[in-house]
Amino acid sequence: LPLYPLRLQNAVLKRTVEALMERGAVVRNLENLGERSLPYKISKHNERHRRGGYFLIDLEGPPSIVSTMMDHLGRDIDVIRRGFIKHPVSKTEECSGIIPVNYQDKLIVKKK
């Protein structure tokens, strides 16, 4: 996102999150990485940008929304660069449950 007042950055984020949810995505987390210098000058929408605000949006959604969101964000004049990264789903271990304890063995005193 380009360098704009915080109010405008919030508007861009709100539009983006609403568009994601309209397409069936569930937003899990939103992280503001702050304002930074861009790695190189970027010309977008007839403007040259040197600084921008970086944001990460963690979401779950169908893969089909990627192309429509890339098109949507490409038309947004407040977005300089956009990208999606597939986050691998971590496998969860199934709980084997509580191992039953034989209390009778604990109650019987062993003779020596």
Side-chain angles (χ1 to χ4, degrees), residues 1-14 32 34-35 53 55:
L1 299 175
L3 172 62
Y4 289 106
L6 187 59
R7 168 179 55 65
L8 187 55
Q9 287 181 353
N10 288 340
V12 173
L13 289 173
K14 183 178 178 184
N32 181 355
E35 179 191 321
F55 296 90

Side-chain angles (χ1 to χ4, degrees), residues 1-2 4 38 40-51 69-83:
L1 299 175
Y4 289 106
L38 298 173
Y40 48 88
K41 295 176 195 169
I42 298 176
S43 295
K44 187 76 171 191
H45 304 291
N46 297 324
E47 291 183 41
R48 292 184 60 89
H49 303 278
R50 297 172 193 265
R51 296 189 62 78
M69 280 305 298
M70 290 293 280
D71 184 49
H72 173 82
L73 293 171
R75 287 183 274 118
D76 191 330
I77 62 169
D78 296 325
V79 176
I80 295 174
R81 182 69 40 101
R82 74 259 187 232

